[in-house]
Amino acid sequence: MKLVELTVSEFVETLGSDAPAPGGGSAAALSATMGISLTKMVCELTIGKKKYAEYEDDIKLVFDQTKQLQKNLLEAIDKDTEAFNAVSAVFSMPKETDDEKAARRAAMQSALEGAAKSPLDMMKLMLEALEVTKRAIGKSNTNAASDLGVAALSLKAGIQGAWLNVLINLSGIKNEEFVASYRQDGEALLAKGCLLADEIYEETLKVV
């Protein structure tokens, strides 16, 4: 069964158990999913309201983007655990002969690269989600301004958490070019995302 098909109670019980997965990566994806869902909710509470009629087209566009991002981030919850499971599977590979050891090392490097790619892809989605959320500031229902603030905080937690998961997997990768590229891309995504999240949060403080 997929993680996203579990009840909230079942998910947190699994997360809090001694099972190696789901872990921080899936939790980061869940945090971001909740964040963009809050942005979607704010759009729902704005569309059709006379007070915000002049922003109707803008908010409808934001709404459409939140729906797709919600879907993609939800899928990322399971994708991250699948990537981790691929790493775990390598440990069961035979390692008696030199050839087996070499195959095991190669498989581990490939699995670690996949495990680093998953949270980096998440970070890209999270940055996009923050950019979309920012577009709702000043154009959406002020009664739900606090929800945009929580959306920003949830997305910030997500992007920071995803970055930690990129780093821990990069630490085991031997390909220096791969590591340098992912580190550069991740640091850029993190900086932009945290800045946006802080801006959104500060703007909501002016309204609530």
Side-chain angles (χ1 to χ4, degrees):
M1 178 180 288
K2 290 186 176 181
L3 293 171
V4 296
E5 294 174 351
L6 299 175
T7 66
V8 174
S9 295
E10 289 170 340
F11 183 91
V12 296
E13 280 299 319
T14 304
L15 189 65
S17 73
D18 60 0
S26 291
L30 176 59
S31 177
T33 304
M34 291 190 297
I36 198 61
S37 297
L38 282 168
T39 305
K40 180 175 176 289
M41 182 192 76
V42 173
C43 291
E44 295 265 23
L45 294 172
T46 304
I47 295 169
K49 299 289 192 298
K50 290 182 180 179
K51 184 178 179 180
Y52 307 100
E54 63 181 303
Y55 305 120
E56 182 88 359
D57 290 342
D58 292 335
I59 294 300
K60 281 184 176 179
L61 178 59
V62 170
F63 176 72
D64 288 340
Q65 292 170 320
T66 63
K67 285 196 296 183
Q68 186 60 50
L69 283 163
Q70 184 187 56
K71 177 178 179 293
N72 293 342
L73 285 166
L74 197 63
E75 290 173 351
I77 296 171
D78 276 292
K79 284 182 179 179
D80 191 78
T81 290
E82 288 165 7
F84 176 83
N85 287 340
V87 174
S88 297
V90 177
F91 290 105
S92 64
M93 292 178 66
K95 53 178 179 178
E96 298 301 321
T97 68
D98 288 343
D99 284 346
E100 287 175 346
K101 290 176 182 177
R104 195 171 186 264
R105 285 193 297 269
M108 178 58 77
Q109 288 301 299
S110 177
L112 285 171
E113 288 182 5
K117 181 179 185 299
S118 174
L120 190 75
D121 287 345
M122 265 190 235
M123 291 179 75
K124 294 173 184 177
L125 289 171
M126 292 165 184
L127 177 59
E128 185 181 351
L130 282 160
E131 290 170 341
V132 168
T133 299
K134 180 74 181 292
R135 295 187 198 116
I137 295 290
K139 298 179 180 180
S140 54
N141 194 325
T142 55
N143 292 326
S146 61
D147 296 300
L148 283 182
V150 177
L153 292 172
S154 299
L155 286 162
K156 184 179 182 181
I159 202 167
Q160 289 177 313
W163 176 230
L164 290 175
N165 280 268
V166 173
L167 288 175
I168 198 166
N169 288 296
L170 290 182
S171 67
I173 295 173
K174 308 298 183 185
N175 185 332
E176 294 181 2
E177 185 177 344
F178 181 97
V179 171
S181 175
Y182 267 56
R183 185 177 289 275
Q184 181 178 17
D185 290 349
E187 287 175 347
L189 290 165
L190 180 69
K192 291 177 183 176
C194 288
L195 180 61
L196 264 177
D198 290 344
E199 287 176 355
I200 296 166
Y201 182 73
E202 291 301 321
E203 286 297 317
T204 57
L205 284 176
K206 297 175 183 177
V207 181
V208 297

